Amino acid sequence: MIKPSGRQPRFLQQSRHAKGAGHQGDSGRAMKRREFMALIGAAVACPVFARAQDGAPRPMPSVGVLTGNLVGDGGAQMRVNAFQQGLADLGWIANQNYRLDVRWPGSNPTWQEREARELVATGPDVLFATSTATTRALRAATQIIPIIFVGLSDPVGTGLVVDLARPTSNLTGFSLYEHAMSGKWLSLLKDLVPSMSSAMLLYNPETAPYAPLYLQAAHQVENRLRMTVTGASVRSGAEIAGVIETAARNGSGLVVLPDGGFFSTQSAMGIPLLIQRRVPAIFAVRFYAVNGGLMSYGADLTQQFRDGAGYVARILRGAEVRSLPVQFATRFDLVINMRAVHALGLAIPERLLMEAELID
């Protein structure tokens, strides 16, 4: 395991020299030549770090991944595949020159904490977290093994990172949004539905502990947008359905906050119900708009998984966590689903037509 103090990954550490001297003479030289040629052949198939100086195999490095999703989540699997491909592009092939262990506890905090402890117990060289909740679970399980995170909402505001430029703990990675983004989501929703006078921010407090900060930022734009904004705390599919019904009765819109994977487990129910009840909603993740949601505005989360793979690769090669600054997304895309637009009877303003990617 690596410590942020600079200790190298275990597979980079020197193994002990073999005891005893080799045979001398011609037979000894022939034996050494055969051993040398065997090592050359192995080096073709394996990275040079895979063998110690005495020719004995070094431990294969390992990477542990903790998601906030369940097995079978198509969007999450696509992003994990992108992470794995990002490592492959950098020369790290799963189960050839490193071990990959992916855990799928879903959004349940208890399951995440259990899987985090079990993952840390396997002794990985680096850990990869895909949400605020899974990052917290891993940090609670280890303060030594490097943790690379992606998809976080304001890591400073949530208390995970103190210094973005030079992390001082075993955490670093890539953040998607700052809390002021809630104002942008509301503004886009208002542009598409000018008559809308109220909106709710939908979130699970267990998987999105940062949601009150988004709500606070949303209140700051209420006067400008001439709408009232309230929070909608949910913990189950039934509660999501209840919020959608309330929004339908009140003529409210919904902002589905980034939630570490909770809504994805309910999206097969939630998205069709939003359309059926004619509730306009905007999502932080493109995946939902592609799969029937009205619109999304956000950074490319899949690209963050590829970027995260770059940081993981650097850790595997001996980089220290404190040498890798926390980075924020810089590009954001607006996606509008035309089928949802027609189903809700909306007209897209010219400005949004020019800015958005329209999908059918």
Side-chain angles (χ1 to χ4, degrees):
M1 296 185 291
I2 317 173
K3 289 185 177 180
S5 60
R7 178 182 173 186
Q8 289 182 319
R10 67 178 183 274
F11 65 91
L12 288 177
Q13 297 169 12
Q14 298 294 335
S15 62
R16 290 176 297 178
H17 292 291
K19 294 183 179 180
H23 295 292
Q24 301 298 317
D26 292 341
S27 62
R29 285 191 292 271
M31 178 64 72
K32 289 181 179 179
R33 186 175 189 282
R34 285 196 298 271
E35 292 174 350
F36 175 75
M37 294 306 294
L39 288 174
I40 292 296
V44 173
C46 303
V48 67
F49 56 76
R51 290 192 171 270
Q53 288 184 347
D54 61 3
R58 287 177 176 153
M60 184 181 289
S62 63
V63 176
V65 177
L66 186 63
T67 76
N69 307 89
L70 293 170
V71 172
D73 186 319
Q77 185 63 63
M78 176 184 67
R79 292 187 289 272
V80 170
N81 291 345
F83 169 75
Q84 189 171 339
Q85 184 59 53
L87 281 171
D89 292 342
L90 296 169
W92 296 92
I93 311 300
N95 301 319
Q96 290 189 23
N97 57 4
Y98 81 99
R99 296 194 316 274
L100 179 64
D101 187 353
V102 182
R103 304 295 178 98
W104 301 85
S107 59
N108 185 298
T110 300
W111 295 352
Q112 290 180 358
E113 291 165 6
R114 181 193 64 203
E115 291 288 354
R117 290 192 298 268
E118 292 181 1
L119 196 55
V120 167
T122 67
D125 293 283
V126 59
L127 293 160
F128 185 72
T130 69
S131 68
T132 297
T134 56
T135 301
R136 283 183 165 178
L138 287 174
R139 186 186 64 172
T142 179
Q143 288 78 50
I144 297 176
I145 303 173
I147 301 170
I148 305 301
F149 56 73
V150 295
L152 263 62
S153 293
D154 195 348
V156 173
T158 53
L160 287 169
V161 175
V162 175
D163 188 339
L164 295 174
R166 194 172 180 81
T168 55
S169 65
N170 61 324
L171 293 170
T172 191
F174 298 82
S175 180
L176 278 177
Y177 309 114
E178 294 181 291
H179 302 127
M181 184 63 73
S182 58
K184 179 65 174 179
W185 290 320
L186 288 166
S187 178
L188 288 168
L189 201 55
K190 180 78 170 183
D191 285 344
L192 190 57
V193 191
S195 62
M196 186 176 64
S197 60
S198 64
M200 293 187 286
L201 271 57
L202 183 73
Y203 65 94
N204 183 333
E206 294 179 345
T207 60
Y210 42 77
L213 298 174
Y214 278 107
L215 186 57
Q216 181 180 350
H219 287 317
Q220 295 175 2
V221 301
E222 284 179 306
N223 290 337
R224 178 172 63 84
L225 297 178
R226 296 181 180 178
M227 63 165 43
T228 58
V229 180
T230 57
S233 174
V234 297
R235 289 179 170 84
S236 67
E239 291 183 351
I240 290 176
V243 168
I244 293 173
E245 291 297 334
T246 299
R249 289 195 303 270
N250 298 340
S252 298
L254 279 185
V255 175
V256 180
L257 293 179
D259 60 8
F262 168 71
F263 187 82
S264 65
T265 64
Q266 308 294 334
S267 60
M269 174 278 297
I271 290 177
L273 186 58
L274 284 166
I275 302 302
Q276 178 187 342
R277 302 298 291 136
R278 300 174 70 87
V279 175
I282 185 168
F283 302 87
V285 180
R286 174 191 177 93
F287 174 78
Y288 299 124
V290 171
N291 285 274
L294 175 62
M295 64 193 304
S296 67
Y297 181 77
D300 188 341
L301 184 54
T302 302
Q303 182 59 48
Q304 281 219 333
F305 275 66
R306 298 189 189 99
D307 294 338
Y311 267 17
V312 168
R314 291 173 68 175
I315 292 290
L316 289 175
R317 293 192 173 97
E320 299 178 23
V321 168
R322 65 171 177 256
S323 70
L324 305 175
V326 175
Q327 298 190 46
F328 284 80
T330 57
R331 176 181 171 181
F332 299 88
D333 297 317
L334 174 63
V335 179
I336 297 178
N337 187 304
M338 293 304 297
R339 289 189 181 183
V341 168
H342 297 320
L344 270 62
L346 301 174
I348 304 177
E350 185 67 25
R351 184 180 70 81
L352 293 187
L353 282 173
M354 297 177 63
E355 294 181 5
E357 175 187 352
L358 306 180
I359 59 175
D360 192 356

